[in-house]
Amino acid sequence: MNDQLLTSGLALWQWRSAAQRAALSARIPVTEVDWLLQEVAGLDRLSLRLGSFKNLPEIQLQIPLHDLDRLWQRRIHDRLPVQYIAGATPWRQFKLAVSPAVLIPRPETECLIDIAVSAAQKSEKHDELGHWADLGTGSGAIAIGLAQAMPQATIHAVDCSAAALAVARQNAQALGYAHRIQFYQGSWWEPLEFLKGQLSGIVSNPPYIPSELVPQLQPEVALHEPWLALNGGADGLDCIRHLIATSAVYLRPGGIWLIEMMAGQAEVVATLLQNHGSYGNIKIHPDLAGIERFALAYRSNEG
């Protein structure tokens, strides 16, 4: 066993106290310290709350304490997201590995899975079956969520980043869905030419932030998350326009088109879908905060 990965309960308790003080001074949620210790030290909430771990002679860490402290200093001074320090984030019922190669999955994106399942159940062909695509898969969150919620479906996950796909494959393997998800490197639909006209649904959380707003996002996002996954062009709609323009030929009649978007984009996206002529039954769904966040449409029989 690597002795650098062992520390005393007292040393970790002292580190935690200092980290909490630093978080308060930097206006970072103090709760992040204990969440991080649950991840890297395997401590439970009760022992953290009571401080009883202080009396343990040895605690095994996933990374040496000096590395943990160095990363926490980056959290304070560089606004490095705590999820990247832990290398993990909770999403739906999963724990997903994350790295700076992928966008950190957000709680609101969880709603995409529920909307997709509900839409599939309402479809005349009950489209939980068949082939589904997750375009711009990143960490693989949506693909894994679909695989879990639709046991009969085959999921096709695409990303242009090899580093992102490595994280997605790692997550699928760790969570037991590697046999249900096919991964492809490429731009949007390009690797899926062989599935034209066969898709039951496409789900995507594409880049949708207007270019000039990306640097103005909170520093945790603007400085550390991949701009490729954020930057949606001048008005934020470049990728969404592309998905509207290209998806219809891949969807079978009645197939589901579902994306996440930014607040304020719903009306334009609905109009773009309507004007394309290949989509019908267009609906806008709010997220849990009531923001119009998701656009849903069905491939029409004509167009």
Side-chain angles (χ1 to χ4, degrees):
M1 183 179 292
N2 187 342
D3 288 344
Q4 288 189 323
L5 296 179
L6 294 176
T7 190
S8 69
L10 178 59
L12 195 60
W13 180 83
Q14 291 170 332
W15 180 86
R16 174 184 180 240
S17 299
Q20 289 175 327
R21 290 194 299 272
L24 279 171
S25 297
R27 297 186 177 179
I28 286 171
V30 178
T31 52
E32 287 190 9
V33 178
D34 281 358
W35 180 79
L36 183 58
L37 287 176
Q38 288 178 61
E39 293 298 318
V40 303
L43 297 174
D44 59 52
R45 292 179 184 177
L46 183 61
S47 64
L48 285 162
R49 195 172 82 230
L50 299 177
S52 55
F53 69 93
K54 178 181 179 180
N55 302 316
L56 295 173
E58 284 186 343
I59 295 173
Q60 184 171 1
L61 306 178
Q62 290 184 7
I63 58 175
L65 186 56
H66 61 84
D67 285 349
L68 179 62
D69 186 60
R70 177 179 53 80
L71 289 167
W72 186 253
Q73 293 306 314
R74 290 193 61 201
R75 175 74 189 105
I76 299 299
H77 300 293
D78 303 337
R79 284 311 204 254
L80 178 70
V82 69
Q83 295 93 335
Y84 289 158
I85 298 175
T89 192
W91 195 80
R92 288 181 75 85
Q93 66 267 54
F94 311 115
K95 183 198 287 190
L96 297 174
V98 292
S99 80
V102 301
L103 202 68
I104 297 166
R106 277 26 179 206
E108 59 267 24
T109 305
E110 297 181 11
C111 298
L112 276 173
I113 307 303
D114 300 315
I115 296 169
V117 170
S118 176
Q121 290 171 345
K122 292 174 184 174
S123 167
E124 291 179 10
K125 297 179 180 176
H126 199 61
D127 278 344
E128 284 186 43
L129 305 173
H131 300 277
W132 284 72
D134 169 21
L135 301 185
T137 193
S139 66
I142 291 172
I144 290 165
L146 290 171
Q148 188 274 331
M150 301 180 181
Q152 305 302 315
T154 299
I155 314 300
H156 303 270
V158 177
D159 206 287
C160 63
S161 164
L165 283 172
V167 175
R169 286 192 177 100
Q170 175 188 342
N171 281 321
Q173 186 71 42
L175 293 165
Y177 293 104
H179 65 296
R180 298 273 317 286
I181 305 171
Q182 305 296 318
F183 292 98
Y184 311 81
Q185 186 177 358
S187 177
W188 303 115
W189 286 111
E190 285 176 5
L192 301 182
E193 289 278 330
F194 68 99
L195 284 173
K196 276 188 174 178
Q198 299 179 52
L199 269 291
S200 296
I202 172 255
V203 184
S204 182
N205 180 16
Y208 53 68
I209 308 295
S211 301
E212 66 177 17
L213 296 184
V214 176
Q216 301 172 35
L217 297 170
Q218 64 186 98
E220 284 84 350
V221 180
L223 297 178
H224 298 287
E225 298 201 57
W227 278 39
L228 190 65
L230 297 166
N231 188 351
D235 63 356
L237 294 168
D238 283 2
C239 298
I240 293 174
R241 282 194 193 90
H242 180 75
L243 290 175
I244 291 171
T246 57
S247 296
V249 295
Y250 290 88
L251 291 168
R252 68 193 204 189
I256 291 157
W257 187 94
L258 174 61
I259 59 106
E260 181 174 324
M261 59 193 166
M262 193 174 84
Q265 293 177 338
E267 186 176 346
V268 176
V269 171
T271 300
L272 288 168
L273 283 163
Q274 189 67 49
N275 291 344
H276 187 273
S278 297
Y279 305 95
N281 201 14
I282 300 160
K283 291 185 172 62
I284 303 298
H285 290 266
D287 63 18
L288 296 176
I291 296 168
E292 292 184 325
R293 178 73 66 185
F294 311 103
L296 168 70
Y298 294 82
R299 172 76 164 93
S300 57
N301 293 318
E302 308 85 26

